[in-house]
Amino acid sequence: MAATLTAGAPARPRKLLASRKTRLGILYALPVVVYLLVLFVYPIFSTLLLSLKDADGSFTLHWYADALTGVNLSVLITTLRISAETAVLSLVFGFILAQAITRLKPILAGLAMLIVVVPHFISALVRTYGWIIMLGDKGMVNETLTWAPGAPYQLLYNELGVVIGTTSMMLPYTVLLLYGVMRGVDRRLLAAASSMGAGRVTIFRRVYLPLVAPGLASAGLLSFILSLGYYITPALMGGPNQTMIATLINQQVTKENQWNGAAAQGVILLLLTFAGLLLVKLASSLGASRKKRSGS
């Protein structure tokens, strides 16, 4: 009997592949696989190979060493700093806004979410020029603050302008993520804590915040990842000291014709993005396990 099972085991995959349903499934999946290979895997693999080639085609790590030293390293640090600042600010404002929306009636909450999301469908270039007009010396912000000492303020072509612009671009993502997480919080837990004598601050710190913490981590990391490779707003609202890695890659390709160095910068940016996505995945897993424990 055991011999019969052992002999029939290798034949099972062949029978599975021989079935008409399996062949049709493979046929249907083939275009998607080819699409992913051609438009995703091949460009990434080609970029990796390009970053490892010298001018004569030999293997080298020179471009990575160049990307992690001197001005290029300074650009990378600036990118990380601005992305972190953007993530923190979008998280703070997104938390406040999402928390306020969850307290509204369903109709008003839907309208508020529509107001948050609709600007996202407008071109980022148009929104960036809108910020440039608003933050200029003769813009609405400085015209409103003419009474303040030191006005007009320099709100453009510096790090403050870049962070304001990138935060506005990342805010819809943050609000959408946090709103979904906050709507899923079981309000009975808050009511139970209140019935046991806990104050608002204690309820927020000991009950509510731990429940939404995974969503906060995911939203912050998503904003950070998207800011890493953002190009339009930093290029238009920043100055020479706010050059980010996407702008540097564009300069190396279009002005210096340095494709190898740009490829190395792109691979580094890709690795940073993968690291951020891994953290998002870990945060999501933590949130799922915590929610499961609280439900049980």
Side-chain angles (χ1 to χ4, degrees):
M1 183 69 178
T4 304
L5 292 175
T6 306
R12 186 170 296 177
R14 289 197 295 269
K15 290 181 179 180
L16 184 62
L17 291 175
S19 66
R20 184 171 180 270
K21 185 181 294 186
T22 302
R23 291 199 303 268
L24 285 175
I26 294 175
L27 184 63
Y28 291 151
L30 188 60
V32 178
V33 174
V34 172
Y35 174 84
L36 293 174
L37 289 175
V38 172
L39 296 183
F40 287 92
V41 178
Y42 175 73
I44 292 175
F45 186 70
S46 300
T47 302
L48 179 61
L49 288 180
L50 187 62
S51 68
L52 296 173
K53 287 184 178 180
D54 208 344
D56 57 358
S58 59
F59 174 81
T60 182
L61 293 175
H62 164 73
W63 305 113
Y64 288 96
D66 184 63
L68 298 175
T69 54
V71 177
N72 293 333
L73 178 60
S74 176
V75 169
L76 180 60
I77 294 174
T78 300
T79 302
L80 294 173
R81 185 179 66 250
I82 292 178
S83 299
E85 292 169 352
T86 300
V88 171
L89 287 178
S90 63
L91 200 58
V92 171
F93 291 115
F95 183 89
I96 296 172
L97 187 55
Q99 175 67 15
I101 294 175
T102 55
R103 295 178 178 274
L104 298 175
K105 295 180 179 180
I107 296 178
L108 295 178
L111 179 60
M113 289 302 297
L114 189 65
I115 295 173
V116 171
V117 173
V118 166
H120 182 66
F121 295 102
I122 302 174
S123 170
L125 183 63
V126 174
R127 286 183 287 162
T128 300
Y129 277 121
W131 277 111
I132 291 175
I133 295 172
M134 289 180 60
L135 299 178
D137 291 342
K138 300 296 182 180
M140 185 183 71
V141 175
N142 275 315
E143 287 294 325
T144 305
L145 297 176
T146 51
W147 54 269
Y153 299 103
Q154 183 63 35
L155 302 175
L156 285 176
Y157 313 119
N158 51 28
E159 189 162 324
L160 176 61
V162 174
V163 172
I164 290 174
T166 52
T167 300
S168 70
M169 302 298 170
M170 301 302 132
L171 195 58
Y173 300 105
T174 307
V175 174
L176 285 172
L177 274 172
L178 292 180
Y179 178 74
V181 173
M182 291 175 179
R183 290 281 294 181
V185 172
D186 191 349
R187 298 288 170 175
R188 293 175 299 179
L189 298 174
L190 308 182
S194 178
S195 65
M196 296 179 68
R200 290 186 177 182
V201 176
T202 302
I203 293 174
F204 176 81
R205 183 173 58 88
R206 301 286 298 273
V207 181
Y208 187 74
L209 194 59
L211 291 174
V212 300
L216 289 171
S218 299
L221 287 169
L222 180 62
S223 299
F224 178 77
I225 291 170
L226 293 176
S227 300
L228 283 176
Y230 211 66
Y231 172 73
I232 295 176
T233 302
L236 294 178
M237 298 184 67
N241 294 329
Q242 289 75 48
T243 301
M244 295 182 68
I245 192 167
T247 308
L248 179 62
I249 291 174
N250 178 68
Q251 292 175 353
Q252 288 181 335
V253 171
T254 59
K255 296 182 179 180
E256 302 175 12
N257 196 30
Q258 187 53 264
W259 289 83
N260 303 86
Q265 296 279 355
V267 171
I268 292 173
L269 184 61
L270 183 64
L271 292 176
L272 290 174
T273 303
F274 280 159
L277 289 173
L278 179 60
L279 290 176
V280 170
K281 179 64 176 177
L282 292 175
S284 300
S285 301
L286 178 63
S289 62
R290 180 170 295 181
K291 188 174 182 180
K292 185 178 179 180
R293 288 198 301 268
S294 63
S296 60

